[in-house]
Amino acid sequence: MDFAPILWVGKFDGHSDQEGVRIMRVLSLVGARPQIIKEAVLHLEFRKRGIREILVHSGQHYDYNMSDVFFEVLGIRKPDYNLGVGSDTHARMTARIMMAFEEVLLKERPDVVIVYGDTNTTLAGALTAAKLKIPVAHVEAGIRQKPKDMPEEINRVITDRVSTLLFAPSKLAVENLKKEGIEEGVHFTGDVMYDLFLMMRDRFDFSIVRKLGLKENDYVVVTIHRDFNTDDPSNLSSIIYQLEKIARDMRVIFPIHPRTRKRLKEFGLEERIKRVEIIDPLDYLSMMGLICRSKAVITDSGGLQKEAYFCKKRAVVVMPDTGWRELIEMGWNVLSKPGSISQNFVELLSKRREHIEEIYGNGKSRKKIVNFINNMKGR
C-alpha cells in the first residue's frame, strides 16, 4: 500500500515487564488537532499509572504547529505510527485509515483502543478495532446534533454503537445514549477540555487585552469560520451587518479565520466593516485571556461555546444546532440565525442566569477515564 504505516519510534515488545507483571497497553488513535490535545491530557494520567500507551496518527489533518505551551505542559509527542492517509472523500479516507490501522492493531494487539470525538478517523478506528474484537473506548460519547445526515453526526452515532466504554462529557450526553438504548459501559466522566482549561488557566495571556486598551466586561469577542456562515454571501453579509449594529454600543473584537478573511474580500464586504475591530488569529492562551475578560462571545465554534462557559461568559451561537445543547437548554447560551444576532445578543444579556458549576465535570475527567480503562485489565 502507498499509505502503509510509518514507524516513528521503538515499540513495546510485550504485555509484561521484567518481573512478569502484566502491564496494560492502550492505543490512542488521533487525526486532528483537538484530538491530539485530548490524547495528551490523558497521556499524562496514563504515564502516572504506568500504563503503556501507543499513539497512532491517521494523517487526516497532520499538523503539529501549535503553541509551545501545549508541548511544555502536556508533553505532546510525535506519534509512534503515522498512517499518512491525507485528505480524500469520506469513503476513501475512512477505508484507507481502516486498512492501514488494521495492520497496526494486528501487530500491537492492544488491550483497548481509544478514539476521540467525531471525525472520519474516529469512525474508522472504532470499526476496525471492533471487528478485531478489541474493546473500543470513545472519549466524548453521546454528543448529538442536527442535521442527522451531517458527517460528524454519522461518525458519532456509529462509533457509540460499537464502543465498549462510552465516556460522556455531560449528563445530557448520557441521556442521549439512554434514549438510543445504550446504557451498558456509559460513564459520565466530564469533559477532558475542562481539565485542560484548569491546567492552563494560570498561563492565560492578557497582553492582547492591554494592547487593545480593552476594559473588562466591556467588549464582545467574535469568531466566525463555519462554511455555512462564511461561504454563503447572504449569510456573511448579514453577520457583518449584525456585528456592526452591536459595535455601535460596545467594542467588538474579531480574531478572524483565514477562510473568513478570504470570503470578505471575495464577496466585497471589507468596506462594510467600519466599527468591528478585526485582528489576526490568536493562540489558545491569548484567546482565553481575551474571552475571560470579555462581556460575552458570538461564535460558530463548537469548542469556544464551552470555553466561554468555562470562563463564565455567555455566547450567541451562530449555528442551526449545537452538540452542546445543555448550555442552550439552561439558557446560558442561545442559538441564532445570521440575521438575528444583535437581537439575540441583547436578549441574552437582558436575562440573568446563574452559572451552574460542573456541567462538564470537576476537572478530573482524565482520572475517571483512565480509572475505567484500567479496570478492564485482566478481562
Side-chain angles (χ1 to χ4, degrees):
M1 294 184 294
D2 60 351
F3 53 92
I6 300 173
L7 187 64
W8 283 60
V9 298
K11 311 307 307 150
F12 302 119
D13 294 327
H15 286 65
S16 302
D17 62 13
Q18 293 179 350
E19 298 179 356
V21 177
R22 187 178 185 281
I23 296 176
M24 187 175 200
R25 298 200 325 165
V26 302
L27 188 152
S28 282
L29 177 65
V30 300
R33 185 177 184 276
Q35 296 173 334
I36 295 170
I37 295 172
K38 291 168 188 173
E39 180 278 329
V41 173
L42 290 187
H43 180 69
L44 295 175
E45 196 64 24
F46 285 132
R47 204 163 54 194
K48 286 181 183 178
R49 308 286 187 92
I51 297 174
R52 288 176 173 173
E53 183 192 19
I54 302 160
L55 177 59
V56 180
H57 196 300
S58 70
Q60 180 176 341
H61 296 295
Y62 192 70
D63 180 11
Y64 270 75
N65 296 322
M66 56 182 72
S67 171
D68 288 341
V69 73
F70 288 122
F71 286 96
E72 179 186 345
V73 176
L74 300 180
I76 289 176
R77 59 206 173 101
K78 285 187 174 181
D80 300 308
Y81 293 91
N82 187 317
L83 308 184
V85 299
S87 298
D88 212 323
T89 65
H90 289 287
R92 288 176 181 271
M93 184 189 299
T94 304
R96 286 162 68 93
I97 295 171
M98 290 182 70
M99 292 168 68
F101 190 47
E102 183 180 54
E103 290 192 4
V104 176
L105 292 182
L106 290 173
K107 177 181 178 181
E108 296 292 349
R109 290 292 180 182
D111 295 292
V112 61
V113 168
I114 308 173
V115 295
Y116 304 78
D118 55 20
T119 66
N120 289 335
T121 294
T122 308
L123 175 62
L127 288 175
T128 307
K131 286 177 176 290
L132 291 175
K133 301 188 186 303
I134 300 172
V136 176
H138 185 197
V139 175
E140 208 170 85
I143 303 302
R144 296 293 181 265
Q145 182 180 358
K146 295 178 181 178
K148 294 299 183 182
D149 61 354
M150 66 188 293
E152 295 84 355
E153 183 70 4
I154 294 168
N155 292 343
R156 294 180 191 122
V157 171
I158 297 176
T159 297
D160 285 340
R161 284 289 174 184
V162 301
S163 293
T164 303
L165 291 174
L166 299 97
F167 300 129
S170 67
K171 291 183 179 178
L172 179 58
V174 174
E175 288 301 311
N176 290 339
L177 293 168
K178 186 176 181 180
K179 289 177 183 176
E180 297 173 8
I182 303 174
E183 296 186 63
E184 186 175 352
V186 176
H187 305 283
F188 167 51
T189 57
D191 196 323
V192 173
M193 294 307 289
Y194 185 47
D195 292 29
L196 176 71
F197 174 86
L198 295 178
M199 293 167 67
M200 297 289 192
R201 186 166 53 182
D202 291 342
R203 297 170 178 257
F204 289 171
D205 185 352
F206 300 98
S207 59
I208 188 66
V209 177
R210 294 189 293 270
K211 180 180 178 180
L212 296 176
L214 298 170
K215 296 180 181 179
E216 188 168 0
N217 292 319
D218 199 31
Y219 63 92
V220 185
V221 179
V222 175
T223 71
I224 298 291
H225 75 280
R226 298 275 184 173
D227 56 2
F228 52 75
N229 285 326
T230 63
D231 296 356
D232 184 319
S234 176
N235 283 347
L236 188 56
S237 177
S238 292
I239 290 169
I240 295 302
Y241 176 75
Q242 294 292 314
L243 296 180
E244 284 288 306
K245 284 182 66 175
I246 295 170
R248 294 171 188 168
D249 303 311
M250 185 178 296
R251 292 181 69 179
V252 176
I253 311 302
F254 190 171
I256 195 164
H257 190 281
R259 164 197 245 148
T260 311
R261 187 186 290 275
K262 180 180 178 181
R263 293 293 182 261
L264 287 175
K265 184 176 182 180
E266 181 181 329
F267 300 149
L269 296 172
E270 291 175 307
E271 293 184 0
R272 292 178 51 184
I273 301 171
K274 306 294 186 183
R275 300 180 180 87
V276 173
E277 300 173 53
I278 291 181
I279 63 174
D280 289 334
L282 299 174
D283 60 54
Y284 174 81
L285 296 183
S286 297
M287 191 65 178
M288 295 311 300
L290 187 66
I291 291 172
C292 286
R293 294 278 174 87
S294 72
K295 178 68 173 179
V297 171
I298 298 171
T299 187
D300 60 7
S301 164
L304 212 61
Q305 299 170 43
K306 288 186 301 176
E307 287 162 344
Y309 161 78
F310 297 158
C311 286
K312 300 184 178 181
K313 305 298 178 180
R314 300 173 72 182
V316 174
V317 180
V318 192
M319 298 173 69
D321 193 19
T322 174
W324 311 108
R325 292 177 184 166
E326 51 276 317
L327 296 177
I328 303 298
E329 293 180 0
M330 65 184 275
W332 185 259
N333 290 346
V334 63
L335 293 174
S336 178
K337 296 179 180 179
S340 305
I341 294 173
S342 60
Q343 177 183 341
N344 285 318
F345 178 76
V346 171
E347 291 179 357
L348 181 76
L349 296 186
S350 68
K351 299 175 182 177
R352 290 183 57 84
R353 290 289 186 275
E354 293 297 323
H355 186 269
I356 301 175
E357 301 291 337
E358 300 192 4
I359 291 178
Y360 298 109
N362 57 6
K364 298 179 181 179
S365 303
R366 64 192 184 280
K367 297 180 183 295
K368 295 176 182 178
I369 289 171
V370 174
N371 275 341
F372 285 119
I373 290 174
N374 198 38
N375 286 340
M376 296 182 67
K377 184 176 179 180
R379 286 188 179 183

